[in-house]
Amino acid sequence: MKPTLLVLAAGMGSRYGGVKQIDSVGKNGECLLDFAAFDAKKCGFGNVVFIIRKDIEADFRARLFDRVAANFDASYVFQGRESLLTQDEISKTVDRKKPWGTIHAVLCAEEKIKAPFAVINSDDYYGREAFQTLGNYLSSINNASTEHAMVGYVLGNTMSKSGSVSRGVCTVKDGYLDSIVENTKISYEGEGIVSELDSGKVSLTGKEWVSMNLFGFTPKAFEGFHEYWDNFRKEGLYTEKKEALLPVAASDIVKNGEGRIKFFTSSESWFGMTYPEDREIVKQEIAKKIAGGYYPEKLWANS
């Protein structure tokens, strides 16, 4: 059974200042997600499911989806503020502006998931090696397996010179994820790297393994995701900025003994669309890969 690629593309782009998931970075108007879908198809994924906001649907179709769907089995679902909530919860959270988070997004797509699946962000470049690794692994397991997976990156390869980044710092034991601690504000400070935590600043070496939200799950993981989301709804719904985060829910699967997450690694250097200044960097990096033959001049045959 070929795995599914699930793309988290409903973000607000508050630091970027726009809908970065459909911003053009390729020579023929391709978005960063064109290259992710192209790599996934090349690495054995059977289809791609995008999670988007209803208000960007028209632009999303015109600038990305219709092109991808002409070349790959593609579909999309909506993540909205009212999705998966009761009427009482909706009325009590009417002033909430921030999205509910990445676990909420994944649960919005549950009905579309019929096979083991990989999850990616819409604004990060992961590299074909990572898709090949996860594609091979997910193709080898069945829907009931509790042996999930992820690809970790070296922190120093995932930093932005434009500002702080959010990364889940991982500990690994015997080839499996032991824990993930969300660090929401990691940045350069002088010659070093620091993480700003509630308890104060902590220095990092840059050699730590971090999560870039590149996970591989079987549908069995939805049991743990629902448990995490139900617990979040009891308190997190009524906290202005709290979000239900995929790395935390993944870590809970391990902590609660509900499964294991095999830890694969990638030496690829990250680039992505976090800040407005990043767009030019991404365009240059994509152009280099095209010039080197990594991608064809025309990415999709039917476009």
Side-chain angles (χ1 to χ4, degrees):
M1 184 180 296
K2 289 186 175 182
T4 293
L5 177 65
L6 183 61
V7 182
L8 305 174
M12 303 294 285
S14 56
R15 289 181 291 183
Y16 187 78
V19 189
K20 57 188 174 180
Q21 50 267 52
I22 52 175
D23 217 347
S24 171
V25 295
K27 287 191 173 183
N28 300 291
E30 298 95 345
C31 309
L32 198 55
L33 282 177
D34 278 287
F35 296 94
F38 180 88
D39 284 342
K41 182 180 181 184
K42 197 174 184 69
C43 294
F45 284 78
N47 66 307
V48 56
V49 178
F50 298 95
I51 306 165
I52 66 168
R53 306 193 313 270
K54 179 66 176 176
D55 62 289
I56 70 168
E57 181 182 15
D59 285 341
F60 170 76
R61 289 197 67 108
R63 296 166 64 180
L64 171 73
F65 180 79
D66 290 350
R67 179 174 57 244
V68 173
N71 295 274
F72 194 18
D73 182 359
S75 60
Y76 60 89
V77 298
F78 297 117
Q79 178 190 14
R81 194 191 72 80
E82 299 181 357
S83 303
L84 309 181
L85 301 186
T86 65
Q87 284 301 316
D88 184 55
E89 289 169 336
I90 291 170
S91 64
K92 289 180 179 178
T93 58
V94 68
D95 294 327
R96 166 90 178 206
K97 299 293 189 293
K98 200 171 182 66
W100 299 119
T102 44
I103 271 295
H104 181 248
V106 170
L107 288 173
C108 286
E110 183 175 7
E111 290 188 4
K112 289 278 188 180
I113 303 300
K114 309 298 182 185
F117 62 103
V119 183
I120 65 168
N121 294 333
S122 63
D123 55 349
D124 292 317
Y125 180 85
Y126 293 98
R128 194 174 299 156
E129 174 194 353
F131 285 109
Q132 191 68 67
T133 298
L134 270 191
N136 289 343
Y137 180 74
L138 293 173
S139 297
S140 72
I141 56 178
N142 61 45
N143 284 359
S145 176
T146 57
E147 292 280 309
H148 312 292
M150 69 174 291
V151 178
Y153 290 73
V154 179
L155 173 60
N157 289 343
T158 73
M159 297 293 294
S160 172
K161 294 181 179 178
S162 302
S164 66
V165 296
S166 178
R167 303 286 183 254
V169 178
C170 305
T171 56
V172 182
K173 185 176 181 181
D174 298 328
Y176 285 86
L177 178 72
D178 191 49
S179 68
I180 303 177
V181 177
E182 278 296 293
N183 286 240
T184 58
K185 198 171 183 181
I186 301 176
S187 60
Y188 288 112
E189 186 171 271
E191 297 297 315
I193 298 174
V194 297
S195 175
E196 294 185 38
L197 304 174
D198 291 340
S199 56
K201 290 184 179 179
V202 176
S203 295
L204 299 172
T205 66
K207 296 179 180 179
E208 292 86 357
W209 289 111
V210 295
S211 161
M212 297 293 296
N213 261 8
L214 180 50
F215 289 97
F217 298 107
T218 69
K220 184 73 173 176
F222 280 108
E223 296 175 9
F225 295 164
H226 278 289
E227 181 180 350
Y228 173 77
W229 171 244
D230 289 343
N231 288 333
F232 174 87
R233 287 167 59 191
K234 295 173 185 175
E235 298 180 5
L237 286 185
Y238 311 105
T239 304
E240 184 180 354
K241 294 184 178 180
K242 193 170 184 180
E243 293 184 63
L245 300 174
L246 179 61
V248 179
S251 188
D252 280 357
I253 286 176
V254 176
K255 185 172 62 176
N256 297 336
E258 297 168 350
R260 299 196 298 175
I261 298 178
K262 190 169 179 60
F263 195 86
F264 295 103
T265 62
S266 174
S267 58
E268 284 264 10
S269 290
W270 167 90
F271 54 88
M273 308 274 279
T274 307
Y275 298 92
E277 299 86 350
D278 294 334
R279 182 168 181 260
E280 191 56 38
I281 296 171
V282 171
K283 289 177 70 175
Q284 291 172 6
E285 292 296 330
I286 292 294
K288 288 178 189 175
K289 289 183 178 294
I290 293 172
Y294 194 88
Y295 294 113
E297 284 278 346
K298 185 180 181 183
L299 193 65
W300 298 112
N302 298 320
S303 62

